[in-house]
Amino acid sequence: KKFTFSFITLTLPPEYHPNPKFGRCSFSGKTPSQAKAKLNNFWELIRANLAKAGLKVGDDFFGMQVNEAHKDSTLHKHLMIYHSKQNIKLIHQIIRDVEKRERIAIAKALGISLKEVKFKFDIKLNNGKAKASTYLFKYISKSLDDKDTLTIEACRSFYSARAFNYFGIDGKISTFNHLCSNFKSYDKVLSQALMDVFSSRNLYDFIK
């Protein structure tokens, strides 16, 4: 599809951070389940607004999300979103709109100005220097072999959060896993190329 990509980081408001590295502590006693639900809600709102804008998951965008923890143990979410260059402005604006609504809610609740609200999503657009795989490998590898693996896994367990998962290609993966387990039953209708793909579990060639 010749898509580009955006690397998004969704973070939680100050009231969810029990031990912030910078600034005063604004923690309000939010539970891990509330923190996880809030973070997932941000992504659900973004997904809903992308749909309202006419963008279909799997066709117009797809990617992967990774759950990580800050040094104060608060959960945050990284998103690798593949999309067309034509939709860059629209997708980024939808993400900023969700962020803005949360900033307004925080300012209203605390009785402060928007400028005083310490809350922001991070958006990095593909600049041609770092590949998407560079970002993804950094975070996936932490789940496999890293000195901080135990800490990260403990935080994910604390929040009951999956390490990483896909969006927009879930159906393909489910089909792929099924066929890898049962491809020999379809040997009369599958080509040798597909038989080779399933016997070697080559997901890349399957999607291609």
Side-chain angles (χ1 to χ4, degrees):
K1 294 194 175 195
K2 298 182 180 180
F3 278 2
T4 186
F5 67 84
S6 294
F7 187 70
I8 316 297
T9 301
L10 304 180
T11 56
L12 288 165
E15 63 179 313
Y16 290 83
H17 292 256
N19 187 29
K21 187 175 181 180
F22 301 105
R24 65 184 182 84
C25 181
S26 302
F27 183 56
S28 64
K30 296 292 185 182
T31 65
S33 60
Q34 288 175 313
K36 179 185 173 183
K38 184 69 172 179
L39 201 57
N40 288 337
N41 181 244
F42 287 149
W43 179 223
E44 289 166 2
L45 287 171
I46 292 170
R47 288 277 296 266
N49 287 316
L50 288 171
K52 286 182 181 178
L55 301 183
K56 296 181 179 180
V57 61
D59 293 330
D60 299 304
F61 69 95
F62 57 85
M64 184 178 188
Q65 57 176 310
V66 180
N67 289 307
E68 283 276 307
H70 292 291
K71 289 187 176 181
D72 68 355
S73 80
T74 308
L75 201 66
H76 62 279
K77 188 185 297 290
H78 294 299
L79 302 165
M80 178 62 71
I81 305 178
Y82 291 89
H83 53 77
S84 70
K85 292 181 179 179
Q86 290 77 12
N87 287 327
I88 291 174
K89 186 175 181 180
L90 175 60
I91 290 174
H92 288 192
Q93 186 58 55
I94 286 172
I95 295 169
R96 288 300 182 205
D97 287 344
V98 172
E99 174 198 276
K100 184 177 181 180
R101 286 197 291 273
E102 184 64 24
R103 288 172 58 83
I104 291 173
I106 293 172
K108 185 176 180 180
L110 298 179
I112 59 178
S113 68
L114 276 177
K115 291 183 178 179
E116 296 177 276
V117 176
K118 305 298 182 183
F119 172 77
K120 188 177 182 181
F121 296 152
D122 185 58
I123 300 177
K124 290 185 175 68
L125 177 66
N126 174 18
N127 59 10
K129 295 181 179 179
K131 295 181 180 179
S133 56
T134 303
Y135 288 101
L136 291 177
F137 184 76
K138 173 183 177 183
Y139 293 102
I140 292 175
S141 64
K142 288 183 179 180
S143 301
L144 303 175
D145 184 20
D146 186 90
K147 65 178 182 179
D148 297 323
T149 296
L150 186 60
T151 301
I152 294 169
E153 287 304 310
C155 284
R156 286 171 177 157
S157 177
F158 183 66
Y159 286 99
S160 297
R162 294 179 62 181
F164 56 87
N165 61 283
Y166 302 95
F167 53 90
I169 57 174
D170 292 343
K172 290 184 177 66
I173 292 176
S174 296
T175 303
F176 177 74
N177 287 333
H178 169 77
L179 289 170
C180 283
S181 299
N182 301 281
F183 71 94
K184 291 181 180 179
S185 300
Y186 303 103
D187 61 344
K188 293 181 180 179
V189 294
L190 293 177
S191 67
Q192 186 58 49
L194 280 173
M195 294 288 283
D196 292 341
V197 163
F198 298 133
S199 64
S200 61
R201 302 191 71 88
N202 191 331
L203 177 61
Y204 175 78
D205 277 350
F206 175 63
I207 294 175
K208 185 180 178 182

